[in-house]
Amino acid sequence: MRVTEKYAIDKAHECARVFRTVDPAHPGVRMVMDQPAVNLAGPVKVLSQGGFPETYGDLFMTPAQTRKLFDSFGWTRIAAFQTRNPMHRSHEYLAKIAIEVCDGVLVHSLLGALKPGDIPAEVRTKAIAALAKNYFVPSTIVQAGYPLDMRYAGPREALLHALFRQNYGCSHLIVGRDHAGVGSYYGPFEAHHIFDEIPADALETQPLTIDVAFWCYKCGGMASGRTCPHGDADRLQVSGTQLRKSLSEGAQVPPEFSRPEVVEILRAYYASIEPPVKAAA
Ligand SMILES: [Zn+2]
Protein backbone atom coordinates (compact mmCIF):
# COMPACT_ATOMS: atom_id res chain seq x y z
CA MET A 1 0.00 0.00 0.00
CA ARG A 2 1.22 3.48 -0.78
CA VAL A 3 0.38 5.52 2.31
CA THR A 4 -1.33 8.76 1.33
CA GLU A 5 -3.20 9.48 4.54
CA LYS A 6 -2.94 9.05 8.30
CA TYR A 7 -5.92 9.59 10.54
CA ALA A 8 -7.34 8.79 13.96
CA ILE A 9 -10.86 7.49 14.58
CA ASP A 10 -13.39 8.26 17.26
CA LYS A 11 -13.51 4.77 18.74
CA ALA A 12 -16.45 5.36 21.06
CA HIS A 13 -18.48 6.79 18.18
CA GLU A 14 -17.58 3.84 15.93
CA CYS A 15 -18.54 1.33 18.64
CA ALA A 16 -21.83 3.05 19.43
CA ARG A 17 -22.79 3.07 15.73
CA VAL A 18 -21.52 -0.38 14.75
CA PHE A 19 -22.03 -2.41 17.91
CA ARG A 20 -24.78 -0.29 19.47
CA THR A 21 -22.80 -0.40 22.71
CA VAL A 22 -19.49 0.88 24.12
CA ASP A 23 -19.30 -1.87 26.76
CA PRO A 24 -15.65 -3.09 26.79
CA ALA A 25 -16.90 -6.61 27.63
CA HIS A 26 -18.28 -6.86 24.07
CA PRO A 27 -15.59 -8.68 21.98
CA GLY A 28 -16.08 -6.39 18.96
CA VAL A 29 -15.85 -3.26 21.09
CA ARG A 30 -12.69 -4.62 22.66
CA MET A 31 -11.23 -5.26 19.18
CA VAL A 32 -11.83 -1.61 18.20
CA MET A 33 -10.60 -0.21 21.53
CA ASP A 34 -7.39 -2.30 21.26
CA GLN A 35 -6.57 -0.89 17.80
CA PRO A 36 -3.56 1.45 17.64
CA ALA A 37 -4.40 5.16 17.61
CA VAL A 38 -3.56 5.91 13.99
CA ASN A 39 -4.97 4.35 10.79
CA LEU A 40 -3.08 4.37 7.49
CA ALA A 41 -4.81 4.69 4.12
CA GLY A 42 -3.86 4.69 0.46
CA PRO A 43 -4.05 2.70 -2.77
CA VAL A 44 -3.43 -1.05 -2.31
CA LYS A 45 -1.05 -2.58 -4.86
CA VAL A 46 -0.78 -6.19 -3.65
CA LEU A 47 -3.42 -7.85 -1.50
CA SER A 48 -2.32 -10.86 0.51
CA GLN A 49 -4.64 -13.86 0.66
CA GLY A 50 -3.18 -14.57 4.09
CA GLY A 51 -2.03 -18.12 3.27
CA PHE A 52 -5.62 -19.36 3.07
CA PRO A 53 -5.40 -20.93 -0.44
CA GLU A 54 -2.27 -22.86 0.64
CA THR A 55 -3.87 -24.05 3.88
CA TYR A 56 -7.37 -24.87 2.67
CA GLY A 57 -6.87 -25.82 -1.00
CA ASP A 58 -10.11 -26.13 -3.00
CA LEU A 59 -12.21 -25.08 -0.03
CA PHE A 60 -10.93 -21.53 -0.37
CA MET A 61 -12.87 -19.91 -3.21
CA THR A 62 -12.79 -16.29 -4.36
CA PRO A 63 -16.03 -14.49 -5.34
CA ALA A 64 -15.05 -14.84 -9.02
CA GLN A 65 -14.72 -18.62 -8.55
CA THR A 66 -18.08 -19.12 -6.82
CA ARG A 67 -19.86 -16.94 -9.41
CA LYS A 68 -18.31 -18.99 -12.21
CA LEU A 69 -19.33 -22.22 -10.50
CA PHE A 70 -22.94 -21.05 -10.02
CA ASP A 71 -23.07 -20.00 -13.69
CA SER A 72 -21.85 -23.44 -14.75
CA PHE A 73 -24.69 -25.03 -12.72
CA GLY A 74 -27.22 -22.60 -14.21
CA TRP A 75 -28.07 -21.38 -10.69
CA THR A 76 -29.58 -17.91 -10.28
CA ARG A 77 -31.12 -18.20 -6.81
CA ILE A 78 -28.42 -19.14 -4.34
CA ALA A 79 -28.69 -18.96 -0.56
CA ALA A 80 -25.55 -18.56 1.52
CA PHE A 81 -25.43 -20.35 4.85
CA GLN A 82 -22.69 -18.96 7.05
CA THR A 83 -21.34 -21.23 9.74
CA ARG A 84 -18.63 -21.37 12.38
CA ASN A 85 -19.85 -24.78 13.58
CA PRO A 86 -20.22 -28.28 12.25
CA MET A 87 -23.76 -28.65 10.90
CA HIS A 88 -26.22 -30.43 13.15
CA ARG A 89 -29.85 -31.19 12.34
CA SER A 90 -30.98 -27.62 12.97
CA HIS A 91 -28.43 -26.23 10.47
CA GLU A 92 -29.34 -28.95 7.97
CA TYR A 93 -32.97 -27.92 8.32
CA LEU A 94 -32.21 -24.24 7.63
CA ALA A 95 -30.13 -25.14 4.57
CA LYS A 96 -32.91 -27.39 3.24
CA ILE A 97 -35.59 -24.73 3.73
CA ALA A 98 -33.38 -22.53 1.51
CA ILE A 99 -32.97 -25.30 -1.08
CA GLU A 100 -36.76 -25.66 -1.27
CA VAL A 101 -37.04 -22.08 -2.55
CA CYS A 102 -33.65 -21.58 -4.26
CA ASP A 103 -31.53 -23.43 -6.84
CA GLY A 104 -28.91 -24.34 -4.27
CA VAL A 105 -27.14 -23.48 -1.07
CA LEU A 106 -23.59 -22.31 -0.50
CA VAL A 107 -22.40 -23.56 2.88
CA HIS A 108 -19.87 -20.87 3.65
CA SER A 109 -17.58 -21.81 6.49
CA LEU A 110 -15.63 -19.20 8.37
CA LEU A 111 -11.86 -19.64 8.14
CA GLY A 112 -10.95 -16.72 10.39
CA ALA A 113 -9.78 -16.64 13.98
CA LEU A 114 -11.67 -18.93 16.35
CA LYS A 115 -12.56 -18.77 20.01
CA PRO A 116 -10.87 -21.37 22.23
CA GLY A 117 -12.97 -24.55 22.23
CA ASP A 118 -14.28 -24.03 18.66
CA ILE A 119 -13.99 -26.92 16.21
CA PRO A 120 -11.04 -26.30 13.82
CA ALA A 121 -11.99 -25.59 10.21
CA GLU A 122 -10.54 -28.82 8.81
CA VAL A 123 -12.61 -30.97 11.20
CA ARG A 124 -15.73 -28.86 10.70
CA THR A 125 -15.52 -29.01 6.90
CA LYS A 126 -15.01 -32.77 7.01
CA ALA A 127 -18.15 -33.11 9.15
CA ILE A 128 -20.10 -30.87 6.77
CA ALA A 129 -18.88 -32.92 3.79
CA ALA A 130 -20.12 -36.12 5.49
CA LEU A 131 -23.51 -34.51 6.08
CA ALA A 132 -23.74 -33.28 2.47
CA LYS A 133 -22.72 -36.68 1.07
CA ASN A 134 -25.30 -38.63 3.05
CA TYR A 135 -28.25 -36.26 3.37
CA PHE A 136 -28.25 -33.73 0.50
CA VAL A 137 -28.99 -34.03 -3.20
CA PRO A 138 -25.47 -33.47 -4.63
CA SER A 139 -26.62 -30.92 -7.21
CA THR A 140 -28.03 -28.59 -4.53
CA ILE A 141 -25.08 -27.90 -2.25
CA VAL A 142 -21.62 -26.34 -2.49
CA GLN A 143 -19.24 -26.09 0.44
CA ALA A 144 -16.63 -23.35 0.52
CA GLY A 145 -14.70 -21.39 3.10
CA TYR A 146 -13.83 -17.74 3.37
CA PRO A 147 -11.57 -15.73 5.62
CA LEU A 148 -13.37 -13.62 8.17
CA ASP A 149 -12.99 -12.84 11.83
CA MET A 150 -16.28 -12.44 13.65
CA ARG A 151 -16.98 -9.01 15.11
CA TYR A 152 -20.22 -10.02 16.85
CA ALA A 153 -21.98 -6.83 15.72
CA GLY A 154 -25.33 -8.65 15.45
CA PRO A 155 -27.68 -6.76 13.09
CA ARG A 156 -24.99 -4.57 11.52
CA GLU A 157 -22.84 -7.62 10.92
CA ALA A 158 -25.78 -9.38 9.26
CA LEU A 159 -25.76 -6.57 6.68
CA LEU A 160 -22.00 -6.97 6.23
CA HIS A 161 -22.41 -10.73 5.79
CA ALA A 162 -25.11 -10.15 3.16
CA LEU A 163 -22.87 -7.70 1.30
CA PHE A 164 -20.01 -10.21 1.24
CA ARG A 165 -22.36 -12.88 -0.12
CA GLN A 166 -23.52 -10.47 -2.81
CA ASN A 167 -19.89 -10.41 -3.94
CA TYR A 168 -19.84 -14.20 -3.97
CA GLY A 169 -22.90 -14.24 -6.25
CA CYS A 170 -25.54 -15.27 -3.69
CA SER A 171 -29.08 -13.92 -4.04
CA HIS A 172 -29.95 -14.74 -0.43
CA LEU A 173 -28.37 -15.04 3.00
CA ILE A 174 -29.89 -17.29 5.63
CA VAL A 175 -30.28 -15.18 8.75
CA GLY A 176 -31.18 -17.14 11.85
CA ARG A 177 -32.11 -16.04 15.34
CA ASP A 178 -29.56 -13.66 16.92
CA HIS A 179 -27.34 -13.79 13.81
CA ALA A 180 -23.75 -12.77 14.66
CA GLY A 181 -24.86 -11.86 18.15
CA VAL A 182 -23.04 -12.32 21.42
CA GLY A 183 -24.32 -12.33 25.00
CA SER A 184 -27.58 -10.41 25.22
CA TYR A 185 -26.54 -7.25 23.39
CA TYR A 186 -29.08 -7.76 20.58
CA GLY A 187 -32.67 -8.89 20.43
CA PRO A 188 -33.23 -12.30 18.77
CA PHE A 189 -34.75 -10.75 15.63
CA GLU A 190 -32.85 -7.45 15.34
CA ALA A 191 -30.72 -8.99 12.58
CA HIS A 192 -33.97 -9.78 10.69
CA HIS A 193 -35.56 -6.36 11.12
CA ILE A 194 -32.52 -4.34 10.05
CA PHE A 195 -33.03 -5.50 6.46
CA ASP A 196 -36.39 -3.64 6.50
CA GLU A 197 -34.77 -0.50 7.88
CA ILE A 198 -32.28 0.06 5.03
CA PRO A 199 -33.29 1.50 1.61
CA ALA A 200 -34.92 -1.19 -0.54
CA ASP A 201 -32.24 -1.00 -3.24
CA ALA A 202 -29.24 -0.91 -0.87
CA LEU A 203 -28.54 -4.64 -1.15
CA GLU A 204 -29.16 -7.12 -3.96
CA THR A 205 -28.72 -10.05 -1.59
CA GLN A 206 -31.88 -10.53 0.43
CA PRO A 207 -32.27 -12.22 3.81
CA LEU A 208 -34.01 -15.54 4.26
CA THR A 209 -35.06 -14.98 7.84
CA ILE A 210 -35.67 -18.14 9.85
CA ASP A 211 -36.29 -18.65 13.54
CA VAL A 212 -34.23 -21.09 15.60
CA ALA A 213 -34.86 -24.73 14.60
CA PHE A 214 -35.02 -27.90 16.69
CA TRP A 215 -36.46 -31.40 16.81
CA CYS A 216 -39.89 -31.47 18.43
CA TYR A 217 -41.11 -34.83 19.76
CA LYS A 218 -44.73 -33.76 19.61
CA CYS A 219 -44.45 -32.46 16.03
CA GLY A 220 -42.46 -35.60 15.21
CA GLY A 221 -39.91 -33.70 13.16
CA MET A 222 -37.78 -30.60 12.74
CA ALA A 223 -39.61 -27.38 13.43
CA SER A 224 -39.01 -23.75 14.34
CA GLY A 225 -40.48 -21.20 16.69
CA ARG A 226 -42.76 -20.17 13.81
CA THR A 227 -44.07 -23.67 13.05
CA CYS A 228 -44.12 -25.53 16.37
CA PRO A 229 -46.88 -24.62 18.85
CA HIS A 230 -45.38 -26.74 21.65
CA GLY A 231 -43.18 -25.81 24.57
CA ASP A 232 -39.62 -26.43 25.67
CA ALA A 233 -40.52 -29.74 27.34
CA ASP A 234 -41.40 -31.25 23.92
CA ARG A 235 -38.34 -29.90 22.15
CA LEU A 236 -34.90 -31.49 22.06
CA GLN A 237 -32.37 -29.01 23.40
CA VAL A 238 -28.66 -29.81 23.55
CA SER A 239 -26.32 -27.05 24.67
CA GLY A 240 -22.81 -26.69 23.28
CA THR A 241 -21.40 -27.67 26.66
CA GLN A 242 -23.57 -30.80 26.87
CA LEU A 243 -22.62 -31.77 23.32
CA ARG A 244 -18.87 -31.41 24.00
CA LYS A 245 -19.26 -33.49 27.16
CA SER A 246 -21.16 -36.26 25.35
CA LEU A 247 -18.67 -36.32 22.47
CA SER A 248 -15.57 -36.43 24.64
CA GLU A 249 -17.00 -38.99 27.07
CA GLY A 250 -18.37 -41.28 24.38
CA ALA A 251 -21.97 -40.73 25.51
CA GLN A 252 -24.87 -41.00 23.08
CA VAL A 253 -25.81 -37.95 21.00
CA PRO A 254 -29.46 -38.24 19.88
CA PRO A 255 -29.79 -38.72 16.09
CA GLU A 256 -32.56 -36.10 16.23
CA PHE A 257 -29.87 -33.62 17.23
CA SER A 258 -26.98 -34.62 14.97
CA ARG A 259 -26.47 -37.17 12.18
CA PRO A 260 -24.36 -40.21 13.23
CA GLU A 261 -21.84 -39.55 10.40
CA VAL A 262 -21.24 -36.06 11.83
CA VAL A 263 -21.08 -37.31 15.42
CA GLU A 264 -18.47 -39.92 14.45
CA ILE A 265 -16.10 -37.28 13.00
CA LEU A 266 -16.51 -34.98 16.00
CA ARG A 267 -15.99 -37.86 18.43
CA ALA A 268 -12.72 -38.78 16.70
CA TYR A 269 -11.61 -35.16 16.96
CA TYR A 270 -12.34 -34.96 20.70
CA ALA A 271 -10.63 -38.30 21.27
CA SER A 272 -7.52 -36.89 19.56
CA ILE A 273 -7.30 -33.80 21.79
CA GLU A 274 -8.46 -35.01 25.19
CA PRO A 275 -7.38 -38.05 27.14
CA PRO A 276 -10.36 -40.30 27.96
CA VAL A 277 -11.89 -39.01 31.19
CA LYS A 278 -12.01 -42.44 32.82
CA ALA A 279 -8.28 -43.00 32.35
CA ALA A 280 -7.66 -40.31 34.97
CA ALA A 281 -9.17 -42.45 37.76
ZN1 LIG B 1 -43.85 -29.10 18.18
Side-chain angles (χ1 to χ4, degrees):
M1 183 173 81
R2 194 163 60 84
V3 176
T4 56
E5 192 187 346
K6 289 196 265 186
Y7 63 95
I9 57 166
D10 181 341
K11 292 179 179 179
H13 176 72
E14 178 173 325
C15 289
R17 301 293 298 165
V18 173
F19 300 107
R20 297 180 173 178
T21 175
V22 291
D23 182 355
H26 185 293
V29 170
R30 200 163 54 235
M31 205 191 274
V32 171
M33 292 301 181
D34 287 348
Q35 270 176 227
V38 178
N39 286 1
L40 304 180
V44 174
K45 291 186 176 173
V46 180
L47 187 63
S48 165
Q49 292 191 313
F52 286 101
E54 294 77 8
T55 307
Y56 294 104
D58 291 345
L59 189 68
F60 179 87
M61 293 179 88
T62 63
Q65 287 172 319
T66 55
R67 282 171 174 267
K68 202 173 151 196
L69 190 67
F70 299 153
D71 280 348
S72 75
F73 294 161
W75 288 4
T76 55
R77 287 170 61 85
I78 301 112
F81 178 68
Q82 146 146 343
T83 184
R84 284 177 292 139
N85 298 302
M87 289 172 74
H88 301 299
R89 294 292 298 271
S90 59
H91 311 109
E92 175 187 338
Y93 182 67
L94 299 190
K96 286 183 173 173
I97 290 173
I99 291 171
E100 293 286 4
V101 295
C102 293
D103 297 319
V105 70
L106 171 69
V107 174
H108 224 187
S109 229
L110 233 78
L111 303 178
L114 297 172
K115 292 198 303 295
D118 283 355
I119 305 279
E122 63 273 18
V123 178
R124 187 198 325 147
T125 52
K126 200 173 147 195
I128 294 171
L131 178 75
K133 179 169 170 261
N134 289 287
Y135 299 98
F136 281 75
V137 176
S139 59
T140 63
I141 184 167
V142 169
Q143 186 185 181
Y146 79 117
L148 175 78
D149 294 339
M150 290 293 293
R151 288 155 178 80
Y152 303 99
R156 298 296 299 269
E157 190 155 352
L159 295 179
L160 184 66
H161 288 169
L163 183 62
F164 288 155
R165 276 27 181 269
Q166 187 167 308
N167 295 337
Y168 282 91
C170 300
S171 59
H172 293 81
L173 171 70
I174 298 171
V175 183
R177 182 191 275 242
D178 197 25
H179 183 97
V182 62
S184 53
Y185 290 98
Y186 311 108
F189 302 112
E190 268 189 70
H192 290 181
H193 297 150
I194 196 166
F195 286 90
D196 300 325
E197 294 159 12
I198 59 171
D201 58 353
L203 273 174
E204 286 173 33
T205 296
Q206 295 299 308
L208 269 183
T209 56
I210 309 179
D211 199 348
V212 72
F214 44 78
W215 180 275
C216 171
Y217 290 101
K218 231 172 200 165
C219 288
M222 296 300 300
S224 81
R226 278 177 65 80
T227 59
C228 164
H230 309 117
D232 281 352
D234 297 308
R235 299 170 179 178
L236 175 64
Q237 321 257 9
V238 181
S239 73
T241 314
Q242 273 175 302
L243 179 65
R244 274 193 296 279
K245 193 166 182 291
S246 298
L247 288 170
S248 51
E249 291 177 1
Q252 163 98 61
V253 175
E256 295 86 357
F257 180 79
S258 194
R259 300 290 190 183
E261 294 84 350
V262 172
V263 171
E264 192 184 321
I265 290 165
L266 298 180
R267 221 188 265 298
Y269 164 67
Y270 280 105
S272 74
I273 56 163
E274 283 171 33
V277 175
K278 280 174 193 149

